[in-house]
Amino acid sequence: GEILFMIFRRSYTIKSSLSQNEIRQKLIGQHFKVHELDFEVMDKQGIMKIIPHTELAEEKVYTLPITHLIVKENGGQTKIKIKSKPRRIDIGGPTIALFFIFFIMAAGVTMYMSGEPDYTNASYAMLGIGLVMLLLFAFRMGNGYFDYIKKIKAWVKEQV
């Protein structure tokens, strides 16, 4: 299952002229909004985390990232590693959807490879349905989960 979760993880590195302490002081405790949802920068055991506050959300949000900011001084510059992954509570839905999509497509390929002429049209239909579902899934994740990550990264870049 860990390989599948890697699909949803994103990692970026940005550089800043601010020191590690200046970045921490500037970010910790800050709140900002992405798609009308409140995010807060918190310090947990020396690592800054950007956590969504879903209890304030008016509509149900399905998959949200938790973002870790790892700050390291490197000569005259400071490197900020931005690592995003889905919340544990959210990962089940997309995982089940991907398994279902891949199962449909694998069944279609298996039916086609069986060589039975009766199965040809059904296998094309299953592959087509699987492909359409995969495209819809990618579109929804791109406008939801991955858009949150992109906007969080832009906010961090703007602050430092």
Side-chain angles (χ1 to χ4, degrees):
E2 190 64 29
I3 292 173
L4 185 64
F5 297 138
M6 290 174 58
I7 295 170
F8 302 111
R9 293 186 180 183
R10 293 292 179 265
S11 184
Y12 305 98
T13 302
I14 59 176
K15 294 179 182 176
S16 173
S17 59
L18 299 174
S19 73
Q20 185 173 351
N21 286 336
E22 290 172 323
I23 290 171
R24 293 179 75 72
Q25 288 175 349
K26 192 170 186 178
L27 294 181
I28 292 175
Q30 284 229 35
H31 288 259
F32 64 97
K33 288 201 179 290
V34 176
H35 296 295
E36 302 301 318
L37 188 64
D38 184 50
F39 283 80
E40 181 180 3
V41 182
M42 304 170 123
D43 186 10
K44 298 256 183 158
Q45 298 153 355
I47 295 175
M48 288 186 286
K49 291 185 177 184
I50 300 175
I51 309 286
H53 285 290
T54 55
E55 65 275 4
L56 304 173
E58 292 178 17
E59 61 183 63
K60 178 141 175 50
V61 182
Y62 296 101
T63 307
L64 293 169
I66 293 209
T67 305
H68 295 226
L69 302 176
I70 301 160
V71 183
K72 291 184 181 171
E73 303 232 4
N74 188 10
Q77 288 194 319
T78 306
K79 276 187 174 181
I80 303 148
K81 186 88 167 170
I82 303 171
K83 292 182 167 190
S84 295
K85 64 180 183 178
R87 299 182 306 169
R88 264 188 233 134
I89 195 170
D90 293 338
I91 195 62
T95 303
I96 290 170
L98 276 179
F99 275 127
F100 180 70
I101 291 166
F102 289 134
F103 177 77
I104 286 176
M105 294 177 84
V109 168
T110 304
M111 287 173 69
Y112 182 78
M113 291 176 67
S114 73
E116 290 289 327
D118 297 341
Y119 294 155
T120 305
N121 287 340
S123 66
Y124 288 150
M126 289 178 82
L127 285 170
I129 289 168
L131 188 60
V132 167
M133 289 173 70
L134 187 61
L135 291 172
L136 277 170
F137 177 80
F139 178 76
R140 293 276 315 237
M141 290 299 284
N143 285 339
Y145 174 73
F146 292 116
D147 194 44
Y148 281 106
I149 292 174
K150 185 172 65 173
K151 290 185 171 144
I152 290 169
K153 176 187 164 196
W155 181 84
V156 170
K157 219 174 191 179
E158 182 183 297
Q159 299 300 310
V160 299

